[in-house]
Amino acid sequence: MFNKLKNKLKEALSVFSKKTEEEAEKKEEVVEEPIKEEPAEAEPKEEKATEEETPVEETPKEEPVEEKPKEETLEEPQPEIKEEEVEEKAPEPEPETPTPKEEVKETKEEPPKEEKAGFFKKIKQTITTKTISEEKFDKLFWDLELLLLENNVSVEVIEKIKQDLKLELVDKPLPRDVLKKIQETLTKTLTEILSLDPIDLINKIKQKDNKPFIIAIFGINGSGKTTTVAKLSHLFQQNGLKTVLAASDTFRAAAIQQLEEHAQKLNTRIIKHDYGSDAAAVAFDAIKYAQKNKLDVVLIDTAGRLHSNTNLMDELKKLVRVTNPDLKVFIGESITGNDCIEQAKKFQEIINIDAAILTKADIDEKGGAPLSISYTIKKPILYLGVGQEYSQLEEFNAQTILKRLGF
């Protein structure tokens, strides 16, 4: 399941990450030029140098002060003359300003060492601040976008993936492991897409006070509606729930007989009318039977119809109006990809479906429909049909899908 998409996606992400790094490396020279602020760091060092040498000027002032008390003890008039001499001698070092020149020379000699240190800092910044522009990102993403389209991923999901990657990569410092960052972002995006308001169907049925719980099944011809009805009945029986099947597909030849065979195998009750009867009337009778016999679930099997046939779609509106189902479920073939998504959109517009079940997922190598349908119609996927046996109805789990895709 999804092997084709898994392998191609792995290759595409690897190529995408490498090209992203290559495009970002071209910007290294541009990023390197403005990072020239390190000579400013030499100024505080000059101050430090002057501060260190200023005490040298203070030391000679302190020495004559110490001599004053010694000379005052010998003669009182003499210290005045010596003080003047000291004052005259004291200003002599002030005009002699060779020391600051020596300081300047020292500061000029020291910057080369600082420039070496600054050079290494500059290299570090160019490595960590490699960026990619939005224009280049769009060009690089195009190949990945084509891959997703080829594997039946909807435009809405592709745009979501693109925007999330753009937020993480464009005009931001690229990490050393770009591929890992892309995979992490994609995993987060797909988890969000696949984890849309999951429904615990078994608990929801058990928690309803006014039984029965009514489930209406919709979809186009050949999508696997009748088989899915039988699988759901088997699932409910395994969880201690009693069911009745409503054969509301009064249009397709042998549809009633097919559902009857399932009912016999499952040892459950079926309500049917003749072919050409009102589908809503069959469903209504099944609900009344369930109420009378205190059954838990009514499963309504409807006729398949193309979403473009307005008359048949109007008939579904009538059935929904009469039965007022607790759950309206769209059945779509996973292998039909974007067609399945478009069908779900149309059914959503007309009867406002509550959830979806995808059939034939076990032979779906592309996997675009499971990734797209939930996010596109904003309704959760309940189960995946993975075979013809009654037990082969797999509860939809986002983490399981991600593992199958290699995340």
Side-chain angles (χ1 to χ4, degrees), residues 218 248 279-280 300 302 315-324:
F218 306 104
S248 292
I300 305 172
T302 63
E315 185 180 288
L316 286 185
K317 291 181 183 178
K318 178 184 176 183
L319 186 145
V320 170
R321 188 170 60 251
V322 171
T323 60
N324 190 25

Side-chain angles (χ1 to χ4, degrees), residues 128-371:
T128 55
T129 57
K130 290 190 297 184
T131 59
I132 184 167
S133 66
E134 184 174 356
E135 183 181 356
K136 287 184 178 178
F137 174 85
D138 290 338
K139 290 180 180 178
L140 293 175
F141 187 80
W142 175 243
D143 291 335
L144 183 58
E145 186 172 346
L146 285 177
L147 170 70
L148 294 171
L149 285 170
E150 288 171 358
N151 286 275
N152 298 329
V153 179
S154 69
V155 175
E156 292 87 348
V157 170
I158 294 173
E159 189 62 27
K160 168 69 174 170
I161 292 171
K162 183 177 182 179
Q163 291 304 318
D164 287 355
L165 284 174
K166 188 178 287 188
L167 286 174
E168 294 294 335
L169 298 177
V170 172
D171 295 330
K172 288 188 177 181
L174 293 178
R176 291 183 180 180
D177 194 342
V178 178
L179 178 59
K180 183 179 179 183
K181 184 66 175 177
I182 292 172
Q183 289 175 334
E184 287 175 354
T185 305
L186 196 54
T187 301
K188 183 180 176 182
T189 302
L190 293 177
T191 302
E192 182 183 343
I193 288 171
L194 296 171
S195 304
L196 183 67
D197 300 329
I199 297 175
D200 188 345
L201 186 54
I202 303 298
N203 285 335
K204 191 171 184 178
I205 293 170
K206 290 180 177 179
Q207 288 172 3
K208 185 181 179 183
D209 295 327
N210 299 322
K211 300 289 175 61
F213 191 92
I214 304 166
I215 301 176
I217 304 297
F218 306 104
I220 68 164
N221 303 312
S223 59
K225 295 184 302 301
T226 304
T227 303
T228 302
V229 166
K231 287 183 177 182
L232 287 172
S233 180
H234 176 264
L235 175 66
F236 297 151
Q237 287 175 342
Q238 295 296 311
N239 286 273
L241 299 171
K242 298 177 181 178
T243 64
V244 61
L245 311 183
S248 292
D249 183 356
T250 59
F251 178 77
R252 178 172 65 89
I256 297 174
Q257 286 87 340
Q258 183 184 0
L259 193 62
E260 273 187 310
E261 289 179 6
H262 286 305
Q264 290 174 2
K265 292 177 181 178
L266 294 167
N267 194 26
T268 189
R269 179 72 177 175
I270 180 173
I271 304 300
K272 62 179 183 177
H273 290 186
D274 294 331
Y275 284 105
S277 301
D278 185 2
V282 178
F284 181 80
D285 288 348
I287 294 169
K288 290 300 180 183
Y289 178 86
Q291 291 172 343
K292 181 180 178 181
N293 293 276
K294 297 181 180 180
L295 302 180
D296 300 302
V297 185
V298 175
L299 288 162
I300 305 172
D301 182 25
T302 63
R305 60 206 69 206
L306 293 174
H307 53 283
S308 56
N309 191 321
T310 54
N311 292 331
L312 290 177
M313 295 302 283
D314 287 338
E315 185 180 288
L316 286 185
K317 291 181 183 178
K318 178 184 176 183
L319 186 145
V320 170
R321 188 170 60 251
V322 171
T323 60
N324 190 25
D326 297 290
L327 194 69
K328 301 183 289 293
V329 181
F330 169 78
I331 308 298
E333 288 182 286
S334 182
I335 56 176
T336 58
N338 283 311
D339 285 343
C340 176
I341 297 164
E342 290 302 317
Q343 294 158 15
K345 283 183 183 179
K346 195 65 178 178
F347 277 88
Q348 168 67 10
E349 291 173 6
I350 295 173
I351 57 175
N352 188 26
I353 60 177
D354 301 305
I357 295 176
L358 296 180
T359 62
K360 305 174 186 177
D362 54 319
I363 57 173
D364 182 10
E365 292 295 318
K366 294 183 176 181
L371 287 179

